[in-house]
Amino acid sequence: MSASNVAGSFNVAKFGGTSVANFEAMSRCAAIIENNPNTKLVVSSACSGVTNLLVELANGVQDQGRRQELMNQLTDIHHEILDQLAEPMSVEKEIHTILDNVASAAEAASFQSSAKLTDHLVACGELMSTHLFAQILRERGVSAVRFDIRDVLRTNDAYGKAEPQLEQISQLAQEKLIPLCQEHVVVTQGFIGADDEGNTTTLGRGGSDYSAALIAESVLAAGLEIWTDVPGIYTTDPRIAPKASPIPEISFSEASEMANFGAKILHPSTLVPALRHQIPVFVGSSKEPEKGGTWIRQQVESSPLFRALALRCNQTMVTLRSANMFHAYGFLAKVFEILAKHKISVDLITTSEISVSLTLDQTDTSGGAPELPEVVRKELEELCTVEVEHNLCLVALIGNNMSESKGYAKQVFSTLEDFNLRMICYGASPHNLCFLVHESVSRSAIQKLHQELFEQE
């Protein structure tokens, strides 16, 4: 059977960090794989909590005691799984080799950290979890092999947020991955890749979903399953609004908007490779697979006016004011030229006659609020006054054809009359209305809106 004949005939399943947190969690994932004979390619994250420990080490820990403490935590997480294997010896050596690598890289980072070294370090979580996961499958009688995704997932060398090289990935997957999937269940890593020199790269925070979609695209999978710790996509985060309800199916465009505006389920870019090849994406809970989940498809049966609410915190708003903007040409062009030169990505934007407000996009792995670098601020100040505000959250209402529906804006804004809303953005997409609020009231804004729009039967 040729590789091209089997392309598209199997599923790719991706398991997030909480799904592979420990032996018990990995065993639940193994059962999910056993229950679907079509699943031939498994993409795994690092065990829960591991990436955060590695990021701390990569940032450079001078205190040797603290470094040892972090190393001990990493060792304990992986040994807890090793100790429950029937044949730990088969993977113990590999785990210890990677831990030794982490220790020496962490020491190097304590002298001088770099984006390249950070990628080398943070990739180790996935490299270890896949050794353990593949062994658990083998011990359950599954013909599983571990595959190093760096042999296929080619990227450029933008460490920390590398860009995939699609043609190379597709070609290498046809050569190396598809033939393996004919014979075995293949366990590989999410989040990581390699540049042309063979250096390890990462696709940025949340990149394991993205790499799973890239891999699914490269093998022309029949479906992509993303197993996480929640049973699908909800009308909002159930930890904020306990009456949030699961959404059985949702369109790609709605799910992209949700992800883009902070729904934790999926990374915004995740959907793009699947969308390109119309690969349906399923999101379910590895803890409760029996609860079903959400299918994300190109076309769906129902398109309600209000679909969901998303919240994204750590927002940085920059307001630029200049009297010269009034009836002037080219002011915005100059602003964006400065931002583009320094590779500052802008998310939302609103303008008035003499001012423009914009939010900075969070694109890297650091996790904090995006900053406006001092050098950029100085250049902008030659054009206008610059005000930077932190501690803001973005609330997004996701739905369908809102611009064509009378009265809905009144319903939304009267519900929020006690809140100070900033930077209201609406009209660029038929699928969302969004605005900023202060972090301290963001959860109550979501609760009130959810109650009004989703809980009134």
Side-chain angles (χ1 to χ4, degrees):
M1 195 189 303
S2 77
S4 57
N5 291 348
V6 285
S9 61
F10 58 82
N11 268 350
V12 174
K14 182 262 170 177
F15 295 95
T18 49
S19 298
V20 293
N22 50 37
F23 182 83
E24 188 191 352
M26 283 189 176
S27 301
R28 281 196 297 264
C29 297
I32 289 170
I33 294 162
E34 288 166 340
N35 286 336
N36 186 351
N38 277 343
T39 301
K40 291 293 186 187
L41 190 46
V42 176
V43 179
S44 175
S45 290
C47 302
S48 185
V50 166
T51 304
N52 289 340
L53 297 172
L54 292 167
V55 166
E56 186 177 338
L57 287 168
N59 288 338
V61 179
Q62 257 103 40
D63 178 354
Q64 201 174 348
R66 174 63 182 154
R67 226 169 42 236
Q68 193 51 55
E69 195 183 316
L70 293 166
M71 284 307 306
N72 292 345
Q73 286 180 45
L74 285 170
T75 306
D76 291 349
I77 290 168
H78 296 96
H79 262 273
E80 188 270 335
I81 301 170
L82 274 172
D83 293 346
Q84 293 181 72
L85 292 172
E87 294 175 32
M89 296 297 285
S90 53
V91 291
E92 195 163 13
K93 185 166 160 257
E94 280 88 350
I95 298 291
H96 283 172
T97 303
I98 297 168
L99 285 168
D100 289 344
N101 270 337
V102 170
S104 56
E107 192 179 350
S110 74
F111 293 107
Q112 187 174 14
S113 62
S114 70
K116 186 176 179 180
L117 185 57
T118 297
D119 276 3
H120 170 72
L121 253 171
V122 297
C124 292
E126 278 73 9
L127 296 175
M128 288 190 280
S129 66
T130 46
H131 274 299
L132 296 164
F133 198 0
Q135 182 57 20
I136 285 174
L137 284 165
R138 286 192 287 267
E139 291 185 3
R140 294 171 69 110
V142 177
S143 170
V145 295
R146 177 185 180 273
F147 181 83
D148 192 328
I149 201 61
R150 292 173 297 185
D151 293 343
V152 163
L153 209 123
R154 285 281 174 273
T155 71
N156 66 3
D157 60 1
Y159 302 110
K161 42 179 177 183
E163 288 291 323
Q165 310 295 314
L166 299 178
E167 279 182 27
Q168 276 179 283
I169 294 169
S170 170
Q171 190 184 336
L172 290 165
Q174 299 290 323
E175 285 168 27
K176 299 182 179 190
L177 260 183
I178 291 176
L180 260 186
C181 293
Q182 286 170 247
E183 309 292 327
H184 308 280
V185 170
V186 177
V187 179
T188 194
Q189 305 80 25
F191 178 56
I192 67 177
D195 63 17
D196 286 338
E197 305 284 301
N199 297 307
T200 301
T201 57
T202 68
L203 299 176
R205 206 67 186 216
S208 54
D209 287 343
Y210 183 30
S211 55
L214 287 166
I215 294 161
E217 177 185 43
S218 72
V219 297
L220 299 173
L224 169 61
E225 297 170 6
I226 294 190
W227 295 94
T228 167
D229 52 358
V230 287
I233 298 175
Y234 278 65
T235 47
T236 195
D237 186 338
R239 290 166 301 188
I240 299 177
K243 288 188 176 171
S245 51
I247 302 170
E249 68 166 8
I250 185 170
S251 70
F252 268 121
S253 44
E254 292 170 306
S256 296
E257 294 281 355
M258 277 189 77
N260 203 27
F261 289 112
K264 293 282 189 288
I265 314 284
L266 293 164
H267 188 266
S269 326
T270 301
L271 304 169
V272 176
L275 177 64
R276 281 193 291 254
H277 282 88
Q278 305 217 1
I279 298 167
V281 179
F282 174 80
V283 183
S285 163
S286 61
K287 288 192 177 111
E288 306 169 292
E290 69 286 348
K291 280 196 169 175
T294 303
W295 278 101
I296 304 168
R297 307 182 197 275
Q298 194 88 32
Q299 302 292 329
V300 290
E301 308 252 315
S302 77
S303 305
L305 178 61
F306 303 131
R307 177 71 87 184
L309 284 163
L311 180 67
R312 188 170 76 197
C313 286
N314 273 335
Q315 297 299 288
T316 302
M317 181 167 86
V318 179
T319 302
L320 310 171
R321 287 191 181 83
S322 167
N324 299 340
M325 226 177 121
F326 192 67
H327 291 318
Y329 297 105
F331 175 79
L332 280 180
K334 282 182 195 148
V335 166
F336 282 100
E337 192 183 315
I338 292 168
L339 295 172
K341 183 170 82 179
H342 294 281
K343 296 191 164 52
I344 304 286
S345 178
V346 169
D347 192 22
L348 301 178
I349 178 164
T350 59
T351 62
S352 73
E353 281 291 16
I354 60 162
S355 68
V356 52
S357 291
L358 43 91
T359 59
L360 303 182
D361 207 359
Q362 179 63 285
T363 54
D364 64 6
T365 40
S366 66
E371 292 295 338
L372 185 70
E374 196 52 39
V375 55
V376 183
R377 187 178 186 135
K378 283 195 170 127
E379 279 193 48
L380 288 169
E381 280 172 346
E382 289 172 20
L383 285 180
C384 54
T385 62
V386 179
E387 186 187 338
V388 179
E389 288 177 71
H390 296 290
N391 304 323
L392 296 165
C393 292
L394 175 70
V395 174
L397 172 61
I398 316 295
N400 293 279
N401 303 321
M402 294 196 278
S403 55
E404 293 161 31
S405 308
K406 289 179 185 162
Y408 95 91
K410 182 183 175 195
Q411 192 181 1
V412 171
F413 292 122
S414 60
T415 305
L416 298 170
E417 63 188 358
D418 296 332
F419 294 85
N420 179 19
L421 309 186
R422 312 286 302 278
M423 229 186 129
I424 298 165
C425 292
Y426 168 67
S429 158
H431 292 294
N432 78 62
L433 160 77
C434 52
F435 50 84
L436 294 175
V437 291
H438 194 271
E439 208 167 24
S440 57
V441 296
S442 59
R443 290 169 78 89
S444 52
I446 291 276
Q447 286 158 356
K448 283 200 108 161
L449 267 180
H450 193 273
Q451 208 176 346
E452 172 66 28
L453 305 180
F454 295 93
E455 297 172 29
Q456 309 288 348
E457 283 306 320

